[in-house]
Short mmCIF file of all heavy atoms in Angstrom, two decimals:
data_model
loop_
_atom_site.label_atom_id
_atom_site.label_comp_id
_atom_site.label_asym_id
_atom_site.label_seq_id
_atom_site.Cartn_x
_atom_site.Cartn_y
_atom_site.Cartn_z
N ASP T 147 13.07 -9.24 -21.28
CA ASP T 147 12.79 -10.19 -20.19
C ASP T 147 11.89 -9.63 -19.03
O ASP T 147 11.78 -10.21 -18.01
CB ASP T 147 14.12 -10.72 -19.60
CG ASP T 147 14.95 -9.60 -19.01
OD1 ASP T 147 14.58 -8.40 -19.11
OD2 ASP T 147 16.02 -9.92 -18.40
N THR T 148 11.25 -8.49 -19.28
CA THR T 148 10.33 -7.97 -18.29
C THR T 148 9.08 -8.87 -18.22
O THR T 148 8.52 -9.20 -19.27
CB THR T 148 9.89 -6.49 -18.63
OG1 THR T 148 11.09 -5.72 -18.81
CG2 THR T 148 9.04 -5.89 -17.55
N ARG T 149 8.72 -9.26 -17.03
CA ARG T 149 7.56 -10.18 -16.92
C ARG T 149 6.41 -9.53 -16.16
O ARG T 149 5.25 -9.89 -16.35
CB ARG T 149 7.97 -11.48 -16.19
CG ARG T 149 8.76 -12.39 -17.03
CD ARG T 149 7.84 -13.07 -18.12
NE ARG T 149 8.68 -13.70 -19.13
CZ ARG T 149 9.21 -13.07 -20.21
NH1 ARG T 149 8.91 -11.80 -20.42
NH2 ARG T 149 9.99 -13.71 -21.02
N ILE T 150 6.75 -8.67 -15.18
CA ILE T 150 5.66 -8.06 -14.38
C ILE T 150 5.94 -6.54 -14.27
O ILE T 150 7.08 -6.15 -14.09
CB ILE T 150 5.62 -8.54 -12.93
CG1 ILE T 150 5.61 -10.05 -12.81
CG2 ILE T 150 4.46 -7.99 -12.15
CD1 ILE T 150 5.42 -10.61 -11.43
N VAL T 151 4.90 -5.76 -14.36
CA VAL T 151 5.02 -4.33 -14.03
C VAL T 151 4.10 -4.08 -12.84
O VAL T 151 2.94 -4.44 -12.86
CB VAL T 151 4.60 -3.45 -15.21
CG1 VAL T 151 4.63 -1.97 -14.82
CG2 VAL T 151 5.56 -3.65 -16.42
N PHE T 152 4.73 -3.48 -11.80
CA PHE T 152 3.94 -3.11 -10.60
C PHE T 152 3.75 -1.59 -10.58
O PHE T 152 4.75 -0.87 -10.70
CB PHE T 152 4.74 -3.47 -9.32
CG PHE T 152 4.81 -4.93 -8.99
CD1 PHE T 152 6.03 -5.63 -9.11
CD2 PHE T 152 3.69 -5.60 -8.52
CE1 PHE T 152 6.11 -6.93 -8.74
CE2 PHE T 152 3.79 -6.96 -8.17
CZ PHE T 152 4.98 -7.63 -8.30
N VAL T 153 2.51 -1.15 -10.37
CA VAL T 153 2.28 0.25 -10.09
C VAL T 153 1.25 0.38 -8.99
O VAL T 153 0.27 -0.38 -8.95
CB VAL T 153 1.78 1.10 -11.28
CG1 VAL T 153 2.83 1.39 -12.30
CG2 VAL T 153 0.55 0.49 -11.93
N ALA T 154 1.47 1.26 -8.07
CA ALA T 154 0.47 1.50 -7.01
C ALA T 154 -0.25 2.80 -7.37
O ALA T 154 0.39 3.80 -7.79
CB ALA T 154 1.17 1.66 -5.67
N ASN T 155 -1.56 2.78 -7.28
CA ASN T 155 -2.33 3.95 -7.59
C ASN T 155 -3.50 4.13 -6.65
O ASN T 155 -4.39 3.31 -6.68
CB ASN T 155 -2.88 3.84 -9.03
CG ASN T 155 -3.43 5.18 -9.52
OD1 ASN T 155 -2.91 6.23 -9.20
ND2 ASN T 155 -4.54 5.11 -10.26
N PRO T 156 -3.50 5.23 -5.80
CA PRO T 156 -2.44 6.21 -5.66
C PRO T 156 -1.13 5.56 -5.15
O PRO T 156 -1.15 4.48 -4.59
CB PRO T 156 -3.04 7.18 -4.62
CG PRO T 156 -4.50 6.93 -4.62
CD PRO T 156 -4.70 5.52 -4.99
N GLY T 157 -0.06 6.29 -5.32
CA GLY T 157 1.22 5.74 -4.99
C GLY T 157 1.60 5.93 -3.50
O GLY T 157 1.21 6.86 -2.84
N ASN T 158 2.40 5.00 -3.01
CA ASN T 158 3.01 5.10 -1.70
C ASN T 158 4.52 4.99 -1.92
O ASN T 158 4.96 3.99 -2.52
CB ASN T 158 2.54 3.97 -0.80
CG ASN T 158 3.29 3.90 0.52
OD1 ASN T 158 3.94 4.83 0.92
ND2 ASN T 158 3.29 2.75 1.18
N PRO T 159 5.33 5.96 -1.57
CA PRO T 159 5.05 7.06 -0.65
C PRO T 159 4.74 8.40 -1.33
O PRO T 159 4.62 9.41 -0.62
CB PRO T 159 6.38 7.20 0.11
CG PRO T 159 7.41 6.85 -0.98
CD PRO T 159 6.79 5.78 -1.82
N THR T 160 4.57 8.42 -2.65
CA THR T 160 4.40 9.77 -3.28
C THR T 160 3.03 10.36 -3.01
O THR T 160 2.90 11.58 -2.96
CB THR T 160 4.58 9.64 -4.82
OG1 THR T 160 3.66 8.62 -5.28
CG2 THR T 160 5.99 9.26 -5.16
N GLY T 161 2.00 9.51 -2.86
CA GLY T 161 0.64 10.00 -2.60
C GLY T 161 -0.05 10.50 -3.85
O GLY T 161 -1.20 10.94 -3.81
#
Side-chain angles (χ1 to χ4, degrees):
D147 61 355
T148 306
R149 285 289 166 273
I150 307 186
V151 174
F152 287 110
V153 285
N155 192 36
N158 171 19
T160 56

